């Protein structure tokens, strides 16, 4: 009698196991079919290549924070700036990043401690290129598209 009960339990266990596997495989194939049916999002080249600044390291901001670039972008200690850095070594209006034709330029606005582009202090407007590193006081940004 005990072996008949054990056999019945084994059969019920196998049925439940196969039912579970059937449901699992069905869910996976359904998800795969739905994923294949979705159309990829088309983006224009301009939408993909939006210039922005990413903080690499800073004592005033969180690393990785992204600042999208507009036509003109002022970095400084003044809360009215496009990028406000709460750092005593940053001037109120430290530097300006702006579009000039198809180029994007960076210009120091007479700051006390200077603006650095790829480790070099700038004293006149310089063109920004993808991958350039900008340092304002203790904050370092990377220019990306």
């Amino acid at each position: 009698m005990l072996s008949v009960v054990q056999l019945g339990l084994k059969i019920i266990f196998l049925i439940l196991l196969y039912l579970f596997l059937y449901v699992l495989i069905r869910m996976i194939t359904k998800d795969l079919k739905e994923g294949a049916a979705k159309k990829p999002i088309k983006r224009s080249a301009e939408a993909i290549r939006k210039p922005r600044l990413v903080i690499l390291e800073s004592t005033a901001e969180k690393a990785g924070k992204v600042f999208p670039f507009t036509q003109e972008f002022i970095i400084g200690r003044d809360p009215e700036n496009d990028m406000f850095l709460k750092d005593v070594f940053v001037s109120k209006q430290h530097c300006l990043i702006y579009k000039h034709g198809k180029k994007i330029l960076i210009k120091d606005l007479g700051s006390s401690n200077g603006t650095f582009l790829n480790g070099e202090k700038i004293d006149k407007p310089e063109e920004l290129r993808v991958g350039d590193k900008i340092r304002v006081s203790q904050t370092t940004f990377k220019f990306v598209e």
Side-chain angles (χ1 to χ4, degrees):
M1 179 73 176
L2 190 59
S3 64
V4 174
V5 172
Q6 286 178 334
L7 181 64
L9 288 174
K10 286 180 182 180
I11 291 171
I12 290 172
F13 174 74
L14 285 173
I15 291 171
L16 290 174
L17 180 64
Y18 283 120
L19 182 64
F20 171 75
L21 290 174
Y22 170 75
V23 170
L24 182 67
I25 290 170
R26 200 162 162 226
M27 288 174 53
I28 290 171
T29 55
K30 183 180 176 187
D31 282 349
L32 289 174
K33 285 179 184 175
E34 286 177 3
K38 287 183 182 176
K39 293 181 181 175
I41 300 170
K42 290 185 179 180
R43 295 182 181 164
S44 67
E46 192 171 309
I48 294 170
R49 298 180 68 215
K50 293 244 178 183
R52 57 201 181 280
L53 293 176
V54 179
I55 294 181
L56 297 178
E57 56 184 294
S58 176
T59 56
E61 286 287 345
K62 183 179 171 188
K65 190 171 182 180
V66 177
F67 293 89
F69 173 73
T70 54
Q71 291 288 24
E72 194 173 276
F73 197 85
I74 297 177
I75 300 172
R77 199 176 66 234
D78 188 341
E80 297 294 316
N81 292 328
D82 300 297
M83 184 186 300
F84 166 59
L85 293 177
K86 194 173 183 179
D87 182 338
V88 294
F89 297 107
V90 175
S91 298
K92 284 190 175 189
Q93 290 192 331
H94 199 95
C95 65
L96 168 69
I97 299 174
Y98 61 101
K99 210 169 193 179
H100 183 73
K102 291 190 177 193
K103 296 179 180 182
I104 297 177
L105 303 174
I106 183 168
K107 174 183 173 185
D108 186 78
L109 297 174
S111 65
S112 303
N113 297 312
T115 302
F116 295 81
L117 179 62
N118 297 321
E120 301 284 326
K121 188 173 182 179
I122 60 171
D123 53 3
K124 62 182 179 16
E126 297 284 342
E127 183 178 357
L128 280 178
R129 292 182 176 79
V130 174
D132 279 350
K133 291 183 180 176
I134 302 160
R135 185 169 59 82
V136 173
S137 180
Q138 298 173 26
T139 302
T140 304
F141 308 94
K142 187 173 187 179
F143 180 70
V144 296
E145 279 190 326

